[in-house]
Amino acid sequence: MRKEDCIFCKIANGEIPSKSLYEDEKFRVILDLGPAAKGHSLILPKDHAANLYELPEKLAGDAMILAKKMASLLTEKLNCDGINLVQNNGEAAGQTVEHFHIHLIPRYKGDGQNINWVPGKPSQEELEAVRKQILE
């Protein structure tokens, strides 16, 4: 199902032109218009889901299989040194378009990108409290 006012629904379904790299009945893969690195691509489902929580499980699995295929293709063709897969859910996590998508970001030694975080240093007690909170 598509959402009429969703720009990614329109791009994924060919209503808005894009630099497509791949298309099948479920997905379109396009080059990002504001790339973090050469070859930065987006995997867009043709059906609308605002985020990972709304995405049907089967489609989530299919998206990861496609991400693996596209990561291999980008690595082979662009000779990149690595790939980041990034998938944001919610504004606090950096999601700017409310349509599930996966970023495939080829990485090159010395590319200047920093898609990392500063590791925390929780105590064993803090880790145990979080574990219990999640499992209760």
Side-chain angles (χ1 to χ4, degrees):
M1 176 193 274
R2 293 177 36 208
K3 187 175 177 190
E4 289 304 314
D5 63 344
C6 175
I7 190 164
F8 278 5
C9 281
K10 292 178 181 180
I11 293 169
N13 288 283
E15 294 174 32
I16 295 175
S18 63
K19 298 295 183 191
S20 295
L21 300 175
Y22 174 87
E23 181 180 12
D24 64 21
E25 67 279 353
K26 295 183 241 174
F27 299 98
R28 182 182 299 264
V29 180
I30 65 168
L31 289 175
D32 193 300
L33 292 178
K38 177 182 171 184
H40 180 167
S41 307
L42 303 176
I43 297 176
L44 306 174
K46 291 185 175 183
D47 286 339
H48 186 80
N51 50 47
L52 180 64
Y53 313 116
E54 293 183 8
L55 194 68
E57 285 187 13
K58 171 77 169 94
L59 199 58
D62 292 341
M64 189 54 70
I65 291 168
L66 179 55
K68 180 183 184 303
K69 290 177 185 176
M70 292 304 302
S72 295
L73 178 68
L74 293 172
T75 299
E76 175 190 344
K77 298 294 186 177
L78 298 176
N79 297 310
C80 58
D81 300 307
I83 295 261
N84 285 116
L85 294 182
V86 178
Q87 202 285 304
N88 303 316
N89 295 282
E91 184 179 347
Q95 185 178 16
T96 58
V97 178
E98 290 187 11
H99 181 109
F100 172 87
H101 56 287
I102 299 173
H103 293 262
L104 294 137
I105 306 171
R107 299 302 303 276
Y108 306 90
K109 290 179 184 168
D111 65 13
Q113 289 297 336
N114 186 13
I115 305 171
N116 298 311
W117 56 87
V118 176
K121 296 179 182 179
S123 68
Q124 289 300 312
E125 294 78 19
E126 290 169 317
L127 289 173
E128 181 60 19
V130 171
R131 187 186 77 80
K132 284 182 179 178
Q133 182 179 356
I134 292 168
L135 296 177
E136 290 178 354

